[in-house]
Amino acid sequence: MFYLNNERVKLVHLNIRTEKHGEDDVRAVDLKFERVGSSAILDEILPGIRPALYRGGHAGEQVDAFNGELTTLAFPDLEMPLKISGEWPGYVASIVTGFDEDDALVLTGEFKKSRVEAVAGGSAKHEFTLSTYPEDHDIAKLAAALGHEVELTLAPPAPRASNDTEGGEDLEAA
């Protein structure tokens, strides 16, 4: 399952909306994050995809000793970003918006809208959304962090007991 541990990511979009939960109006927030790094992040999201999107350098092409020489796009005409289908509820996010790690926002939400982009030269970009229901004072902290890097820990839900066969998708796909 996909997870992040104290990763520096950029909060690129904040969407505040109202949902109906029965008769009640509930404030909901979609947080869109972006991280850029070596192409190795692709395998964190979809194990085995990196060698499918990159090929080793040939004579006269750029090579990258840090990433196992996979820097040349195997299919440069493939339209990016690639969308990863699925929505995975129950993720717990710890978001440090400032310098004080003890002041982290802890939110439970749904991990979704994951997209990856392989970039020529051996780097990659990952965008994803977390939908959650924060308190008003937490929304203010998130709004202040918009457009800036935050430190994000994103933990998947605890595995269900093996005798639980009701509902839900297989979360191993994340």
Side-chain angles (χ1 to χ4, degrees), residues 2 13 23 51 55 70 80 84-85 89 109 112 120 134 139 142-143 156:
F2 178 72
H13 186 74
E23 294 293 318
R55 61 179 173 80
L70 293 176
M80 296 283 171
I84 303 166
S85 63
K112 61 185 185 178
I139 293 172
L142 292 166

Side-chain angles (χ1 to χ4, degrees), residues 118-134:
V119 180
S123 61
K125 181 166 82 170
H126 179 214
E127 295 178 341
F128 56 92
T129 298
L130 181 72
S131 293
T132 186
Y133 304 97

Side-chain angles (χ1 to χ4, degrees), residues 105-148:
L105 302 175
V106 179
L107 305 169
T108 300
E110 183 175 56
F111 176 76
K112 61 185 185 178
K113 296 183 181 177
S114 189
R115 297 170 184 240
V116 295
E117 183 175 346
V119 180
S123 61
K125 181 166 82 170
H126 179 214
E127 295 178 341
F128 56 92
T129 298
L130 181 72
S131 293
T132 186
Y133 304 97
E135 299 293 327
D136 288 346
H137 63 277
D138 292 336
I139 293 172
K141 289 180 183 179
L142 292 166
L146 185 60
H148 300 283

Side-chain angles (χ1 to χ4, degrees), residues 19-41:
E19 289 183 357
K20 277 287 196 192
H21 289 201
E23 294 293 318
D24 298 328
D25 287 335
V26 177
R27 189 169 346 274
V29 173
D30 296 320
L31 304 168
K32 183 177 179 181
F33 296 98
E34 172 186 282
R35 66 187 187 130
V36 178
S38 79
S39 62
I41 67 173

Side-chain angles (χ1 to χ4, degrees), residues 53-115:
L53 296 176
Y54 291 93
R55 61 179 173 80
H58 294 126
E61 291 182 332
Q62 175 185 6
V63 288
D64 182 356
F66 298 111
N67 293 317
E69 297 185 5
L70 293 176
T71 59
T72 304
L73 291 174
F75 305 99
D77 296 330
L78 184 64
E79 189 173 329
M80 296 283 171
L82 300 175
K83 297 177 185 178
I84 303 166
S85 63
E87 297 178 352
W88 298 274
Y91 268 78
V92 177
S94 173
I95 306 167
V96 178
T97 60
F99 295 111
D100 187 3
E101 290 183 17
D102 294 332
D103 195 26
L105 302 175
V106 179
L107 305 169
T108 300
E110 183 175 56
F111 176 76
K112 61 185 185 178
K113 296 183 181 177
S114 189
R115 297 170 184 240

